[in-house]
Amino acid sequence: SDVILDTPTAPSNLAYFAGGRFHFAELVMGKGKGGGIFEHVDMEEEDDWLDYLRDLLVQRRNVVEEKKWLMEMRDVVTPRIRAQLDQIAHDDLLRSVVETTAPTNSNSVVADTNDLQDANIPKDDRVKEEDDDNIPPLYMETLTLLRNISNSGQWPKTSMARSRVIRSPATASSATANSVVASSPSSSSTSTFKGQLSHCGSFTVVNENIWSTEDDRPLPLGNTLFPDLVKSVFQLESKIVRSSSSPPTSAADDADMTTIRPPSTHCAVNCNAEFTPHVDSGRGQGQSLSMIVALGKFGQKSVAGRSSDGGGGGGGLFVEGTAYDIRYNPLVFDGWRQRHWTEPFVGERFSLVWFTPELKKKKKTISSDNNGAVEKKMGEVKSGDHDVSIEIQQDSSWKRDEDLRAEELVQAHALQLPSYPPLLFRYNSTDALVINEILDVDGKCAYEWKGALGNCFTKDDSGSKPSNGTMVDFSPRGHNCVLDIGAHIGVFTRYALASGCNRVIAYEPEEDNLDLLRQNTKPKKDLQKDNERNHVEKIEIHNSAVVASSQNGFGTLVRARSRNDGTSNTWRHSLEEYSQYVDREASSLPSQLQEATLTRSRVKTIPLFGNDGAIVPGVTFVKLDCEGAEIDILLSPNAREYKSWRDVTHLVFEWSFTKEKRVDVFHRAQKNLQDAGFHVFYDGQGSWWDTEPNVIWPFHSDLVVYAMRTNKSS
């Protein structure tokens, strides 16, 4: 039978005048070239008149109303049509199964389609039926609203940042009939979160009663589309924290459960979303703990032929390796510090996560001179015998928030490394970002992994990978010798020393960074005399780039272009063959503060592997951050040889997806490391982008990857 889909056209006031037909003109010119009954007739006046009409319509358009209509088409109408199409395809599939499996006897009864669906679900994966009477009354209203939104096909798309740590519905366990696109990037060069027979996605709403309106922050789309749900979820939070019959439990050691939790500003609303191990980005503001609860009918999902290691029958939450049953059982945890993930499940599972993030403030305006050059200053340092401090000028209005935060971290770090002068860095540069990534103990060092590995869903079926919940302390702590490739200004080198490492070998090819690296790693005179007396060199610095080549050589280093706001980009310098920057016309740049012609310099290169390579006997921890060169290094035949890595047991590297976006190329490097005896893990492992075939990395950032193995000689 015919199928009719509601495909609305644009409102009349948003219609665009594409063209007009003139009967006499068609007789004169014809409908095609060479047509018409007359020749050599000039149609320019008609064309000019059509252009005039189009201009009038464009000038009269309502931009606000047009944007609202486009957003509704993207987030409501299109998903609904997609869900209807998938429902039709699903029904056709079931109908074909019935026709091919039904008995030839015309009097026989055709099996119910729901029975057919159940027949295809493994016995261990079936969901226990849940009567509405078994749903706690506290959750009934919110669950009903969530189901209505899901069934209507109006579930908004998932943000790219959040979809990074969600498993693909193609490999997830939900078995509902409809499907929606959970995330669909606008660029044709990026991958999509395709979805398969499942509503799967996540969006955020805010508590409008306490939401800050400063800086003209707009309300999320979810608040506009689902005002009843917004009201319900924040009322539910208030009722949960005041409930005496089923108060929330805690997975955080420092949680104070004796006081009433303050209202949250945000709530993440998830539908059938199976999150991979991760920690949340940012940090809490005042309220450092998140609270989560799951709703719906879901059960245990078997993984690779075995039961999942859950404690709550499927769909629970793992926090640092411990499973918690959160189905109508609220849980408080520190999402910014504790690694957490979803236990595999089958069925209908909603979850709500209340949290209050620290919101970014508007950047301060940076003054410039008459030539447009942004002022850059070096932090002034003074040190005494017993006191080390950074002298901060009274007028700091020109400094960015990142610089001010970096100054605080530098002061704290100076107390941990008293034998060295305080760290020097350049204001209005990306130096502050490096300091925040490595020295911010409230977040964590970007090159450390502390906590549970989680169920990583790796493609390694050898059985040698750590089991679910294995606790790992991946850090330079306790290592005798650390190799720091891409040492920049020495932040990680100093961090390794402060962690108790005896020796660090650092490589940095860029001259300005190298000058600061040498200053930042030069010990005070007393320690320097002791080192000379004992013939100890704790830090060894090399002015070279590390490459995949088998021999020493030379290369061309390209300095990174400054950012649009004039911030000096000091951490993206790379060899020419890996540089994402090219010379451009000044007029084509988005900012006058950027350089049109890039600065290039000739630098020495050294291989990572081999007798003359950077990895020398005794190195057990390697940090590899060489702006694209790691791609060829880790794809090289040497990378898959156990002996090439000598004594190395810990490797952390930044994979430059911004330079090589094909995920299958990354998997080839991962396979090389596994062949060399490493277990590889990273945030988002097992997510949709990590498991779907032919995926192009859809995010605007690189990926920090950790690899660990046992030294055979130990």
Side-chain angles (χ1 to χ4, degrees):
S1 59
D2 294 335
V3 177
I4 300 176
L5 296 177
D6 179 19
T7 53
T9 58
S12 58
N13 60 321
L14 295 179
Y16 175 72
F17 182 50
R21 294 184 61 182
F22 306 97
H23 180 67
F24 178 74
E26 289 182 2
L27 288 175
V28 173
M29 295 297 294
K31 298 181 180 179
K33 290 185 177 181
I37 59 177
F38 301 107
E39 295 180 359
H40 310 298
V41 178
D42 189 359
M43 294 288 291
E44 286 188 4
E45 291 186 4
E46 285 80 356
D47 293 338
D48 292 342
W49 187 68
L50 287 177
D51 291 339
Y52 170 71
L53 286 180
R54 293 191 184 100
D55 290 339
L56 282 180
L57 288 174
V58 171
Q59 293 171 11
R60 295 177 182 177
R61 70 186 181 126
N62 187 321
V63 178
V64 175
E65 186 177 351
E66 178 180 313
K67 184 177 180 180
K68 182 179 178 182
W69 173 72
L70 288 172
M71 292 179 67
E72 183 181 7
M73 284 291 293
R74 183 193 68 184
D75 298 313
V76 179
V77 177
T78 302
R80 184 182 68 239
I81 294 174
R82 174 65 185 271
Q84 291 172 327
L85 290 171
D86 287 333
Q87 178 67 63
I88 293 169
H90 178 74
D91 292 343
D92 288 343
L93 176 62
L94 291 179
R95 191 177 297 109
S96 65
V97 172
V98 171
E99 291 173 353
T100 56
T101 60
T104 55
N105 185 350
S106 60
N107 295 325
S108 62
V109 179
V110 176
D112 183 77
T113 55
N114 290 326
D115 294 335
L116 285 170
Q117 285 179 306
D118 290 340
N120 292 325
I121 300 176
K123 183 177 180 180
D124 292 339
D125 287 355
R126 298 189 183 185
V127 184
K128 294 180 180 179
E129 289 300 319
E130 174 191 65
D131 297 328
D132 288 344
D133 294 339
N134 295 330
I135 302 173
L138 185 66
Y139 299 92
M140 181 64 76
E141 176 188 305
T142 305
L143 179 59
T144 300
L145 291 170
L146 289 169
R147 284 173 169 170
N148 290 341
I149 295 172
S150 178
N151 293 333
S152 68
Q154 297 183 42
W155 201 272
K157 75 171 186 176
T158 305
S159 70
M160 291 304 295
R162 192 168 295 174
S163 72
R164 179 170 174 170
V165 290
I166 296 180
R167 294 193 68 203
S168 169
T171 56
S173 52
S174 181
T176 53
N178 296 331
S179 73
V180 295
V181 174
S183 178
S184 181
S186 57
S187 172
S188 60
S189 65
T190 58
S191 302
T192 57
F193 190 178
K194 297 182 293 186
Q196 179 176 337
L197 301 180
S198 168
H199 285 296
C200 177
S202 175
F203 65 94
T204 299
V205 296
V206 298
N207 189 341
E208 297 181 36
N209 293 328
I210 57 177
W211 173 245
S212 173
T213 57
E214 66 181 25
D215 296 338
D216 299 321
R217 294 191 184 101
L219 289 173
L221 180 63
N223 284 66
T224 303
L225 296 177
F226 317 119
D228 293 339
L229 176 68
V230 174
K231 180 180 178 181
S232 179
V233 297
F234 288 107
Q235 286 180 347
L236 176 60
E237 180 193 28
S238 178
K239 293 175 182 177
I240 288 174
V241 299
R242 287 170 171 78
S243 173
S244 58
S245 58
S246 57
T249 55
S250 175
D253 295 335
D254 57 348
D256 182 5
M257 305 303 292
T258 61
T259 59
I260 296 178
R261 174 187 174 87
S264 302
T265 60
H266 291 64
C267 181
V269 184
N270 309 312
C271 176
N272 292 337
E274 187 176 327
F275 287 86
T276 60
H278 70 286
V279 290
D280 299 327
S281 59
R283 71 182 74 202
Q285 184 177 28
Q287 178 200 74
S288 62
L289 302 178
S290 304
M291 184 171 71
I292 185 173
V293 70
L295 309 83
K297 295 190 291 186
F298 54 88
Q300 188 165 330
K301 170 70 175 179
S302 60
V303 180
R306 62 187 185 279
S307 175
S308 64
D309 300 327
L317 183 74
F318 278 96
V319 180
E320 295 294 0
T322 301
Y324 295 89
D325 179 8
I326 61 170
R327 187 169 177 266
Y328 304 121
N329 294 311
L331 178 73
V332 172
F333 69 105
D334 191 338
W336 289 283
R337 296 186 186 181
Q338 293 179 298
R339 186 161 273 102
H340 53 285
W341 62 95
T342 310
E343 179 189 9
F345 64 92
V346 61
E348 169 209 59
R349 181 185 183 274
F350 300 98
S351 64
L352 303 172
V353 186
W354 292 275
F355 62 102
T356 300
E358 183 180 55
L359 300 176
K360 292 183 178 181
K361 299 177 182 179
K362 281 189 173 181
K363 290 186 177 181
K364 294 180 174 64
T365 302
I366 301 174
S367 60
S368 60
D369 58 24
N370 295 332
N371 297 325
V374 176
E375 179 183 23
K376 303 175 184 178
K377 299 183 179 180
M378 183 74 69
E380 297 181 12
V381 180
K382 67 176 182 179
S383 60
D385 293 336
H386 304 287
D387 179 46
V388 178
S389 63
I390 298 294
E391 183 179 326
I392 302 176
Q393 300 178 15
Q394 291 183 349
D395 181 14
S396 59
S397 60
W398 60 274
K399 296 178 184 176
R400 304 168 308 152
D401 290 337
E402 292 91 340
D403 292 327
L404 297 175
R405 175 59 178 160
E407 285 178 336
E408 297 174 0
L409 296 173
V410 165
Q411 283 185 308
H413 173 68
L415 300 177
Q416 299 173 5
L417 204 64
S419 300
Y420 288 79
L423 184 77
L424 296 174
F425 71 98
R426 294 156 289 198
Y427 295 128
N428 191 38
S429 76
T430 53
D431 289 0
L433 299 180
V434 178
I435 293 171
N436 278 274
E437 279 190 356
I438 296 175
L439 300 184
D440 189 352
V441 293
D442 289 336
K444 69 179 181 69
C445 173
Y447 300 115
E448 291 185 339
W449 180 301
K450 295 182 179 180
L453 283 183
N455 209 340
C456 292
F457 309 102
T458 63
K459 296 181 179 180
D460 178 14
D461 297 324
S462 64
S464 60
K465 64 182 180 182
S467 60
N468 187 34
T470 298
M471 301 301 290
V472 172
D473 185 2
F474 188 105
S475 75
R477 191 172 294 104
H479 288 265
N480 182 60
C481 186
V482 170
L483 178 60
D484 185 2
I485 297 175
H488 195 242
I489 64 172
V491 183
F492 183 76
T493 294
R494 291 173 58 109
Y495 181 84
L497 289 177
S499 299
C501 298
N502 293 324
R503 184 180 177 217
V504 180
I505 303 173
Y507 282 82
E508 173 56 47
E510 202 276 325
E511 289 294 340
D512 289 344
N513 288 342
L514 184 70
D515 288 343
L516 275 178
L517 171 64
R518 285 173 171 153
Q519 293 184 64
N520 285 329
T521 56
K522 186 177 182 180
K524 293 180 180 178
K525 292 182 179 179
D526 292 343
L527 180 62
Q528 189 172 354
K529 291 179 181 178
D530 290 341
N531 290 343
E532 292 173 354
R533 187 183 309 116
N534 298 320
H535 304 287
V536 174
E537 187 178 17
K538 293 184 73 71
I539 302 176
E540 179 182 320
I541 297 176
H542 296 269
N543 181 204
S544 301
V546 178
V547 296
S549 172
S550 60
Q551 56 188 5
N552 296 342
F554 292 90
T556 300
L557 188 76
V558 179
R559 288 176 59 96
R561 178 174 283 115
S562 297
R563 296 186 170 186
N564 296 358
D565 61 357
T567 300
S568 178
N569 195 343
T570 66
W571 64 352
R572 294 298 184 203
H573 311 317
S574 63
L575 294 172
E576 182 107 49
E577 55 266 39
Y578 305 112
S579 178
Q580 64 196 79
Y581 302 99
V582 295
D583 293 334
R584 296 173 60 178
E585 296 292 335
S587 58
S588 67
L589 293 171
S591 170
Q592 295 180 351
L593 300 174
Q594 293 179 296
E595 311 87 354
T597 303
L598 300 170
T599 302
R600 292 170 172 81
S601 59
R602 183 175 169 85
V603 296
K604 295 179 181 179
T605 62
I606 183 175
L608 179 66
F609 305 111
N611 294 331
D612 297 324
I615 296 180
V616 296
V619 170
T620 55
F621 188 106
V622 175
K623 187 216 85 178
L624 186 64
D625 185 2
C626 42
E627 300 303 324
E630 81 284 347
I631 297 173
D632 286 336
I633 289 174
L634 297 177
L635 291 175
S636 69
N638 284 324
R640 63 173 177 259
E641 296 293 334
Y642 189 98
K643 62 182 180 180
S644 297
W645 295 94
R646 296 184 184 267
D647 302 321
V648 176
T649 59
H650 290 66
L651 165 69
V652 58
F653 62 93
E654 189 168 312
W655 182 266
S656 299
F657 271 121
T658 50
K659 298 177 172 64
E660 172 52 83
K661 293 182 177 294
R662 294 172 295 176
V663 175
D664 66 308
V665 175
F666 166 67
H667 283 156
R668 282 164 47 198
Q670 182 181 356
K671 179 62 167 56
N672 278 353
L673 291 173
Q674 289 173 346
D675 290 345
F678 289 97
H679 170 67
V680 183
F681 49 101
Y682 41 90
D683 276 344
Q685 191 165 18
S687 299
W688 66 274
W689 58 265
D690 194 41
T691 56
E692 296 293 323
N694 304 317
V695 171
I696 300 298
W697 179 254
F699 310 106
H700 301 291
S701 60
D702 296 333
L703 179 69
V704 177
V705 183
Y706 309 84
M708 187 171 57
R709 71 176 184 174
T710 302
N711 195 325
K712 290 181 179 179
S713 62
S714 61

